[in-house]
Amino acid sequence: MISYILEISYHGGKYHGWQKQKNTPNTVQEALENALQTILKTKITTLAAGRTDVGVHARQQYVQIQPNNLIIDADILLYKLNALLGHDIYVMNIYLCQRVFSVRHNAIARTYMYYLRQSKDPFRQGLAGFYYIKNLDFDKMNEACKILLRYTDYQSFSKVKTGVSHFHCHIACAQWHIENDTWILTITADRFLRGMVRTIVGTLLEVGKEALSINDFENIIISKDRTKAKYAAKPEGLYLHNIKYEDGMFIKINV
């Protein structure tokens, strides 16, 4: 069946995450579906490559729609969507897929970035996690990141009662680096569990404060026990940065 893929980005600050839920107004999915239905004059259901939590941002998110055999003029739809959506959601491109395809299950890699600042900046409020912690040891935090790559079961960093069949992920890279006055964790894996990145960041901060040793961090992973891991880091620092698919899965159709 023909489907269309929207490549979007959004500032998650005012939204209750990506996923539309009962009794939870103001989600990114709800805003996008309402705009699509207004323009296309038919009920539209969307499927995203990944679900972001309350307050989390996305630099690149892919959203799949199958609009009941409607033929879409991509340029007109792109223009109307960006005119109708708020300033904090941007539709960048529209793609056509003519094969059996799931924007979620066919993704081969996802990259998240966590932005951490140790000083206040009112002009970047809501765009990074602010932690007033002196002398964080980022070298030790990067040592702990290397430990992550030795394992595949990350139940210790997952929210409980998520309904997943297993907790295995293959992390390809995880590393902190600094840009100007902001520390950034880049982490790439084939899949992520709910709350996984923020809980990893919160636990790494304890390593950086020397409240946990490298061995403690490894033992938390081995335990497969969420109560052993630390707090989840602030959501405003987290960005879904990039999603990868095999080449040729879909083609861009807007100018």
Side-chain angles (χ1 to χ4, degrees):
M1 179 183 287
I2 289 176
S3 61
Y4 295 90
I5 314 296
L6 310 181
E7 182 184 8
I8 72 171
S9 62
Y10 50 85
H11 186 302
K14 77 174 187 182
Y15 294 99
H16 287 82
W18 158 262
Q19 189 173 14
K20 187 169 61 175
Q21 301 174 56
K22 272 188 178 181
N23 304 317
T24 304
N26 206 29
T27 65
V28 180
Q29 183 179 26
E30 180 183 40
L32 183 59
E33 287 185 357
N34 287 344
L36 284 165
Q37 288 167 195
T38 297
I39 296 164
L40 298 176
K41 310 298 184 187
T42 187
K43 181 175 174 58
I44 298 293
T45 300
T46 60
L47 174 69
R51 294 179 295 185
T52 52
D53 288 338
V54 176
V56 174
H57 315 298
R59 294 192 186 279
Q60 184 184 60
Q61 169 77 285
Y62 286 102
V63 181
Q64 185 173 10
I65 62 172
Q66 293 174 326
N68 301 327
N69 298 316
L70 285 177
I71 303 301
I72 285 177
D73 184 313
D75 292 306
I76 292 175
L77 180 60
L78 193 70
Y79 173 80
K80 288 185 175 181
L81 279 172
N82 283 317
L84 194 57
L85 289 165
H87 66 277
D88 43 16
I89 303 175
Y90 173 46
V91 184
M92 297 179 281
N93 289 298
I94 300 178
Y95 301 86
L96 177 66
C97 183
Q98 294 180 292
R99 63 181 76 194
V100 176
F101 176 79
S102 166
V103 75
R104 179 176 298 167
H105 299 299
N106 285 106
I108 57 176
R110 297 166 171 86
T111 297
Y112 280 86
M113 287 186 169
Y114 193 90
Y115 288 72
L116 186 150
R117 291 180 50 77
Q118 294 171 276
S119 59
K120 282 185 177 180
D121 184 340
F123 299 104
R124 290 190 238 177
Q125 185 179 3
L127 297 174
F130 167 62
Y131 291 90
Y132 185 63
I133 305 171
K134 291 184 177 180
N135 304 318
L136 270 176
D137 190 334
F138 283 92
D139 288 334
K140 273 195 176 176
M141 290 161 71
N142 271 330
E143 281 185 55
C145 284
K146 292 176 183 176
I147 301 294
L148 283 170
L149 275 60
R150 298 180 190 172
Y151 294 89
T152 60
D153 191 317
Y154 300 102
Q155 185 171 355
S156 296
F157 299 123
S158 173
K159 288 184 178 179
V160 298
K161 299 179 181 178
T162 61
V164 297
S165 59
H166 65 86
F167 298 92
H168 289 273
C169 312
H170 296 277
I171 297 179
C173 74
Q175 187 172 25
W176 289 94
H177 72 281
I178 191 167
E179 291 183 7
N180 299 319
D181 55 357
T182 303
W183 282 95
I184 303 169
L185 172 69
T186 302
I187 183 166
T188 300
D190 59 341
R191 67 190 286 260
F192 286 92
L193 305 167
R194 287 195 62 198
M196 178 175 165
V197 179
R198 288 172 56 202
T199 307
I200 286 175
V201 172
T203 309
L204 287 172
L205 285 173
E206 294 300 296
V207 173
K209 289 160 56 178
E210 299 190 343
L212 290 176
S213 69
I214 300 297
N215 284 339
D216 292 333
F217 184 81
E218 185 165 16
N219 286 332
I220 287 169
I221 301 172
I222 293 168
S223 74
K224 301 179 185 179
D225 182 350
R226 175 62 184 88
T227 65
K228 303 292 185 186
K230 299 303 177 180
Y231 51 86
K234 297 172 183 177
E236 60 266 28
L238 185 58
Y239 294 71
L240 175 55
H241 180 75
N242 177 264
I243 303 166
K244 289 189 176 180
Y245 299 91
E246 292 180 5
D247 291 342
M249 296 298 286
F250 42 80
I251 59 170
K252 181 181 170 183
I253 56 173
N254 62 282
V255 174

